Amino acid sequence: MKVLKKTISKADIAQMPKTMFQGQIIVIDTEEEVERMVDALKRHPVVGIDTETRPSFKKGKLNRVALLQIAVDDCCFLFRLNRFGMVAPLVEFLETSSTIKVGLSLKDDFRALHDRADFEPQGYVELQEYVKTFGIQDNSLQKIYANLFGCKISKSQRLSNWEAEELTEAQRIYAATDAWACFKIYVLLHELHISNDYVLKDDNAN
């Protein structure tokens, strides 16, 4: 029986071991590579997605989304949109309903991606809404993942330069981990939904 918590504290998370994506990371730098990578992703019924944008420290200046991450259990594709934009194969993938695409704060990701191309998102699961059906009240990826898996995700690279000439190993792992975590959360919760083999715990209950 899986025990889920309504909410989890930062103090609890601080005591947990760190986790990171340890599978294969494929960085796509050129438009020519995109179609082949998207074809590989189409074979998966579920993927996790996320985006990264170079932070702006000037008031009123916003940068365009630089990276689109799409992950499965053992592989993550990092599409460097600052190099080639939202090309047709990516747009078509984001519009297909045959692959479930799982993310967190998807409205923000869609807003950023729409600045590069117009598309109609199909086949998406917003984790912030999905976890509510299990009684989980937390909204952050770090808290949801910690609740389900007892590990913490590092956020140390969030404000790094995602338009750098070469992404560092730390950047690649960070970007892959967020998309992979979305995938893992959905897969586990979907299995629990089917089996109904879980119980919700409220630590604040009297």
Side-chain angles (χ1 to χ4, degrees):
M1 179 72 67
K2 180 71 174 178
V3 177
L4 306 180
K5 295 182 178 181
K6 282 189 176 181
T7 186
I8 190 168
S9 70
K10 290 183 178 180
D12 287 339
I13 296 174
Q15 303 302 315
M16 294 178 178
K18 288 184 179 179
T19 190
M20 64 182 67
F21 179 69
Q22 296 184 356
Q24 182 182 17
I25 300 175
I26 301 174
V27 180
I28 298 93
D29 285 302
T30 66
E31 183 176 345
E32 290 73 23
E33 299 174 276
V34 175
E35 186 170 5
R36 182 166 57 89
M37 300 305 173
V38 169
D39 284 343
L41 284 166
K42 287 178 180 177
R43 296 195 290 267
H44 296 273
V46 179
V47 299
I49 67 169
D50 192 29
T51 64
E52 301 296 343
T53 301
R54 179 167 64 89
S56 172
F57 301 103
K58 293 183 179 180
K59 187 176 180 180
K61 176 177 170 57
L62 296 175
N63 294 313
R64 303 176 87 184
V65 60
L67 194 69
L68 170 63
Q69 306 101 271
I70 306 179
V72 293
D73 189 43
D74 58 356
C75 187
C76 184
F77 299 81
L78 307 184
F79 295 91
R80 303 205 67 188
L81 303 185
N82 59 303
R83 297 283 177 86
F84 47 76
M86 283 284 289
V87 293
L90 278 176
V91 171
E92 292 169 5
F93 182 74
L94 295 174
E95 290 186 325
T96 182
S97 58
S98 59
T99 299
I100 296 173
K101 293 164 283 288
V102 185
L104 188 131
S105 299
L106 284 174
K107 286 184 179 179
D108 294 335
D109 289 325
F110 292 158
R111 188 181 301 113
L113 292 169
H114 276 137
D115 187 50
R116 288 196 173 274
D118 187 32
F119 64 96
E120 294 294 331
Q122 301 290 333
Y124 287 90
V125 173
E126 168 56 66
L127 283 179
Q128 288 181 336
E129 296 300 323
Y130 190 59
V131 299
K132 290 179 182 178
T133 65
F134 296 83
I136 297 172
Q137 298 174 353
D138 290 321
N139 285 323
S140 77
L141 184 65
Q142 189 178 54
K143 283 192 171 185
I144 296 169
Y145 192 90
N147 191 342
L148 295 178
F149 296 99
C151 297
K152 62 183 175 184
I153 298 171
S154 171
K155 308 301 290 182
S156 62
Q157 294 294 314
R158 183 170 63 87
L159 297 179
S160 61
N161 180 12
W162 296 103
E163 297 180 14
E165 184 66 23
E166 295 289 338
L167 296 177
T168 66
E169 182 180 9
Q171 283 180 307
R172 294 194 300 269
I173 292 173
Y174 170 87
T177 297
D178 275 8
W180 167 77
C182 290
F183 170 86
K184 296 286 286 185
I185 289 167
Y186 175 78
V187 168
L188 176 58
L189 289 178
H190 183 64
E191 290 174 350
L192 292 176
H193 172 70
I194 293 173
S195 66
N196 199 32
D197 190 26
Y198 69 93
V199 62
L200 185 67
K201 181 181 178 182
D202 186 357
D203 286 342
N204 296 318
N206 293 325

